[in-house]
Amino acid sequence: MPTPPPRSATLPRPSLTERRKAATQLEIARTAAALFAERGTAVTADDIARASGVALRTFYRYFRTKEDAVAPLLADGVRQWIDELGAAPAGPDAPPVRETLERTARRSLTPADEPAAEALNWTRGLLRVMPDDPALRAVWHRVHHDSEEALMPVLARLTGAGPLEARLAAAAANTAMRVAVEEWAAGGGAPDGPQGPAALVTRCLRILAAGLLPRDGADSHEE
């Protein structure tokens, strides 16, 4: 039986208007993250709008609150990871799922260029001010909840797992990503060092995957 195409490959390409909107939202998110990292919770929606070069009314057309403005930045790296996983081959001739998870997670947390490095540093700054801002923490956890939901069908396809196993695997993989970034942000190591997010997510996945990911090709419905 042929392997079904990746979920992401079946989705229609966003329209030009949608792509422009997403680009504007991401640019505002980068500005918001930089301001939060620099000034903490004193940042206002008006500050973000002015620094982004948009009217306050335009800001509120895109985001409900000032904290919501950082969500596109926080979600961007995870979305790239899920998209790459969604394009990975499945089946008996495919690489082991654990290897695919590690490789794609490391790549998503390894800055490929200067803008990506800046985005990662802004994320670190956001995580450091989050203890003082419950609304920012709520955005961070919402982003990861959404990521977990998106991971479930991807891991179900790659592993052949049933709904329960796929949900548990998605929760484990997503938690490994979140904990790695949080630990790096708290410790402040170099992004590409042994305590950087890419190295930490590899450690986290290896700890979790052995017990929580089903064996490739295993019958996930055994009693």
mmCIF file of all heavy atoms in Angstrom, residues 145-169:
data_model
loop_
_atom_site.group_PDB
_atom_site.id
_atom_site.type_symbol
_atom_site.label_atom_id
_atom_site.label_comp_id
_atom_site.label_asym_id
_atom_site.label_seq_id
_atom_site.Cartn_x
_atom_site.Cartn_y
_atom_site.Cartn_z
ATOM 1 N N HIS A 145 0.823 24.091 22.875
ATOM 2 C CA HIS A 145 -0.366 23.254 22.763
ATOM 3 C C HIS A 145 -0.751 23.086 21.306
ATOM 4 O O HIS A 145 -1.051 21.967 20.840
ATOM 5 C CB HIS A 145 -1.523 23.874 23.549
ATOM 6 C CG HIS A 145 -2.807 23.112 23.414
ATOM 7 N ND1 HIS A 145 -3.720 23.371 22.413
ATOM 8 C CD2 HIS A 145 -3.315 22.064 24.113
ATOM 9 C CE1 HIS A 145 -4.744 22.545 22.515
ATOM 10 N NE2 HIS A 145 -4.522 21.746 23.531
ATOM 11 N N ASP A 146 -0.749 24.180 20.551
ATOM 12 C CA ASP A 146 -1.076 24.113 19.128
ATOM 13 C C ASP A 146 -0.063 23.252 18.371
ATOM 14 O O ASP A 146 -0.421 22.500 17.454
ATOM 15 C CB ASP A 146 -1.111 25.523 18.521
ATOM 16 C CG ASP A 146 -2.265 26.360 19.049
ATOM 17 O OD1 ASP A 146 -3.186 25.793 19.667
ATOM 18 O OD2 ASP A 146 -2.225 27.594 18.862
ATOM 19 N N SER A 147 1.209 23.351 18.766
ATOM 20 C CA SER A 147 2.245 22.543 18.126
ATOM 21 C C SER A 147 2.019 21.068 18.378
ATOM 22 O O SER A 147 2.199 20.222 17.488
ATOM 23 C CB SER A 147 3.626 22.953 18.644
ATOM 24 O OG SER A 147 3.882 24.309 18.358
ATOM 25 N N GLU A 148 1.635 20.745 19.594
ATOM 26 C CA GLU A 148 1.362 19.348 19.941
ATOM 27 C C GLU A 148 0.217 18.799 19.090
ATOM 28 O O GLU A 148 0.281 17.665 18.592
ATOM 29 C CB GLU A 148 1.010 19.267 21.424
ATOM 30 C CG GLU A 148 0.840 17.855 21.945
ATOM 31 C CD GLU A 148 0.579 17.848 23.445
ATOM 32 O OE1 GLU A 148 1.283 18.586 24.172
ATOM 33 O OE2 GLU A 148 -0.326 17.109 23.881
ATOM 34 N N GLU A 149 -0.824 19.611 18.912
ATOM 35 C CA GLU A 149 -1.946 19.189 18.071
ATOM 36 C C GLU A 149 -1.492 18.935 16.637
ATOM 37 O O GLU A 149 -1.914 17.971 15.997
ATOM 38 C CB GLU A 149 -3.036 20.270 18.092
ATOM 39 C CG GLU A 149 -3.727 20.459 19.421
ATOM 40 C CD GLU A 149 -4.674 19.324 19.753
ATOM 41 O OE1 GLU A 149 -5.387 18.870 18.851
ATOM 42 O OE2 GLU A 149 -4.688 18.884 20.915
ATOM 43 N N ALA A 150 -0.616 19.802 16.129
ATOM 44 C CA ALA A 150 -0.140 19.651 14.758
ATOM 45 C C ALA A 150 0.793 18.453 14.604
ATOM 46 O O ALA A 150 0.880 17.854 13.525
ATOM 47 C CB ALA A 150 0.568 20.926 14.311
ATOM 48 N N LEU A 151 1.511 18.115 15.676
ATOM 49 C CA LEU A 151 2.438 16.985 15.622
ATOM 50 C C LEU A 151 1.726 15.637 15.559
ATOM 51 O O LEU A 151 2.266 14.673 15.003
ATOM 52 C CB LEU A 151 3.346 16.995 16.855
ATOM 53 C CG LEU A 151 4.644 17.781 16.783
ATOM 54 C CD1 LEU A 151 5.293 17.848 18.166
ATOM 55 C CD2 LEU A 151 5.619 17.138 15.784
ATOM 56 N N MET A 152 0.553 15.539 16.138
ATOM 57 C CA MET A 152 -0.107 14.236 16.266
ATOM 58 C C MET A 152 -0.302 13.517 14.927
ATOM 59 O O MET A 152 0.118 12.373 14.781
ATOM 60 C CB MET A 152 -1.432 14.381 17.011
ATOM 61 C CG MET A 152 -1.250 14.519 18.510
ATOM 62 S SD MET A 152 -2.795 14.322 19.449
ATOM 63 C CE MET A 152 -3.588 15.879 19.105
ATOM 64 N N PRO A 153 -0.921 14.161 13.921
ATOM 65 C CA PRO A 153 -1.090 13.435 12.652
ATOM 66 C C PRO A 153 0.233 13.153 11.959
ATOM 67 O O PRO A 153 0.364 12.149 11.242
ATOM 68 C CB PRO A 153 -1.977 14.369 11.821
ATOM 69 C CG PRO A 153 -1.789 15.724 12.424
ATOM 70 C CD PRO A 153 -1.560 15.497 13.880
ATOM 71 N N VAL A 154 1.228 14.018 12.148
ATOM 72 C CA VAL A 154 2.538 13.798 11.524
ATOM 73 C C VAL A 154 3.198 12.554 12.103
ATOM 74 O O VAL A 154 3.686 11.679 11.375
ATOM 75 C CB VAL A 154 3.434 15.038 11.722
ATOM 76 C CG1 VAL A 154 4.849 14.765 11.228
ATOM 77 C CG2 VAL A 154 2.849 16.246 11.008
ATOM 78 N N LEU A 155 3.200 12.430 13.429
ATOM 79 C CA LEU A 155 3.830 11.273 14.064
ATOM 80 C C LEU A 155 3.006 10.005 13.849
ATOM 81 O O LEU A 155 3.564 8.904 13.764
ATOM 82 C CB LEU A 155 4.042 11.534 15.552
ATOM 83 C CG LEU A 155 5.099 12.583 15.872
ATOM 84 C CD1 LEU A 155 5.219 12.805 17.371
ATOM 85 C CD2 LEU A 155 6.457 12.187 15.302
ATOM 86 N N ALA A 156 1.689 10.149 13.747
ATOM 87 C CA ALA A 156 0.862 8.980 13.439
ATOM 88 C C ALA A 156 1.235 8.417 12.071
ATOM 89 O O ALA A 156 1.335 7.193 11.886
ATOM 90 C CB ALA A 156 -0.613 9.358 13.482
ATOM 91 N N ARG A 157 1.464 9.295 11.108
ATOM 92 C CA ARG A 157 1.856 8.830 9.771
ATOM 93 C C ARG A 157 3.236 8.204 9.782
ATOM 94 O O ARG A 157 3.468 7.152 9.176
ATOM 95 C CB ARG A 157 1.827 9.998 8.785
ATOM 96 C CG ARG A 157 2.178 9.610 7.342
ATOM 97 C CD ARG A 157 2.264 10.829 6.453
ATOM 98 N NE ARG A 157 3.397 11.662 6.780
ATOM 99 C CZ ARG A 157 4.625 11.462 6.302
ATOM 100 N NH1 ARG A 157 4.892 10.441 5.509
ATOM 101 N NH2 ARG A 157 5.608 12.290 6.631
ATOM 102 N N LEU A 158 4.178 8.826 10.497
ATOM 103 C CA LEU A 158 5.552 8.321 10.483
ATOM 104 C C LEU A 158 5.698 7.004 11.229
ATOM 105 O O LEU A 158 6.527 6.171 10.864
ATOM 106 C CB LEU A 158 6.494 9.365 11.098
ATOM 107 C CG LEU A 158 6.736 10.638 10.290
ATOM 108 C CD1 LEU A 158 7.578 11.618 11.094
ATOM 109 C CD2 LEU A 158 7.418 10.321 8.963
ATOM 110 N N THR A 159 4.909 6.810 12.286
ATOM 111 C CA THR A 159 5.083 5.629 13.131
ATOM 112 C C THR A 159 4.027 4.560 12.919
ATOM 113 O O THR A 159 4.214 3.421 13.341
ATOM 114 C CB THR A 159 5.047 6.030 14.622
ATOM 115 O OG1 THR A 159 3.740 6.547 14.934
ATOM 116 C CG2 THR A 159 6.107 7.067 14.943
ATOM 117 N N GLY A 160 2.915 4.912 12.306
ATOM 118 C CA GLY A 160 1.805 3.977 12.218
ATOM 119 C C GLY A 160 1.080 3.820 13.538
ATOM 120 O O GLY A 160 0.335 2.859 13.733
ATOM 121 N N ALA A 161 1.274 4.760 14.461
ATOM 122 C CA ALA A 161 0.686 4.665 15.791
ATOM 123 C C ALA A 161 -0.800 4.990 15.770
ATOM 124 O O ALA A 161 -1.292 5.713 14.903
ATOM 125 C CB ALA A 161 1.406 5.618 16.743
ATOM 126 N N GLY A 162 -1.519 4.450 16.764
ATOM 127 C CA GLY A 162 -2.914 4.786 16.962
ATOM 128 C C GLY A 162 -3.055 6.137 17.628
ATOM 129 O O GLY A 162 -2.055 6.770 18.017
ATOM 130 N N PRO A 163 -4.297 6.600 17.814
ATOM 131 C CA PRO A 163 -4.515 7.948 18.360
ATOM 132 C C PRO A 163 -3.877 8.179 19.723
ATOM 133 O O PRO A 163 -3.283 9.240 19.959
ATOM 134 C CB PRO A 163 -6.046 8.047 18.436
ATOM 135 C CG PRO A 163 -6.535 7.082 17.407
ATOM 136 C CD PRO A 163 -5.550 5.958 17.398
ATOM 137 N N LEU A 164 -4.003 7.221 20.642
ATOM 138 C CA LEU A 164 -3.444 7.410 21.975
ATOM 139 C C LEU A 164 -1.925 7.503 21.929
ATOM 140 O O LEU A 164 -1.320 8.413 22.525
ATOM 141 C CB LEU A 164 -3.861 6.261 22.896
ATOM 142 C CG LEU A 164 -3.256 6.291 24.308
ATOM 143 C CD1 LEU A 164 -3.718 7.529 25.063
ATOM 144 C CD2 LEU A 164 -3.619 5.018 25.068
ATOM 145 N N GLU A 165 -1.301 6.571 21.199
ATOM 146 C CA GLU A 165 0.161 6.559 21.118
ATOM 147 C C GLU A 165 0.688 7.782 20.393
ATOM 148 O O GLU A 165 1.714 8.359 20.770
ATOM 149 C CB GLU A 165 0.631 5.279 20.421
ATOM 150 C CG GLU A 165 0.399 4.010 21.219
ATOM 151 C CD GLU A 165 -1.027 3.486 21.077
ATOM 152 O OE1 GLU A 165 -1.842 4.132 20.374
ATOM 153 O OE2 GLU A 165 -1.323 2.443 21.674
ATOM 154 N N ALA A 166 -0.013 8.201 19.338
ATOM 155 C CA ALA A 166 0.419 9.384 18.594
ATOM 156 C C ALA A 166 0.320 10.639 19.460
ATOM 157 O O ALA A 166 1.195 11.507 19.424
ATOM 158 C CB ALA A 166 -0.427 9.550 17.328
ATOM 159 N N ARG A 167 -0.745 10.709 20.259
ATOM 160 C CA ARG A 167 -0.889 11.866 21.146
ATOM 161 C C ARG A 167 0.222 11.890 22.192
ATOM 162 O O ARG A 167 0.798 12.951 22.481
ATOM 163 C CB ARG A 167 -2.253 11.823 21.832
ATOM 164 C CG ARG A 167 -2.502 13.019 22.731
ATOM 165 C CD ARG A 167 -3.880 12.968 23.351
ATOM 166 N NE ARG A 167 -4.103 14.131 24.194
ATOM 167 C CZ ARG A 167 -5.200 14.332 24.918
ATOM 168 N NH1 ARG A 167 -6.181 13.451 24.876
ATOM 169 N NH2 ARG A 167 -5.314 15.405 25.653
ATOM 170 N N LEU A 168 0.532 10.721 22.767
ATOM 171 C CA LEU A 168 1.585 10.662 23.767
ATOM 172 C C LEU A 168 2.944 10.989 23.151
ATOM 173 O O LEU A 168 3.751 11.709 23.746
ATOM 174 C CB LEU A 168 1.619 9.264 24.394
ATOM 175 C CG LEU A 168 2.510 9.067 25.610
ATOM 176 C CD1 LEU A 168 2.146 10.037 26.718
ATOM 177 C CD2 LEU A 168 2.423 7.624 26.097
ATOM 178 N N ALA A 169 3.198 10.470 21.951
ATOM 179 C CA ALA A 169 4.459 10.758 21.275
ATOM 180 C C ALA A 169 4.585 12.241 20.949
ATOM 181 O O ALA A 169 5.654 12.845 21.111
ATOM 182 C CB ALA A 169 4.561 9.927 19.988
#
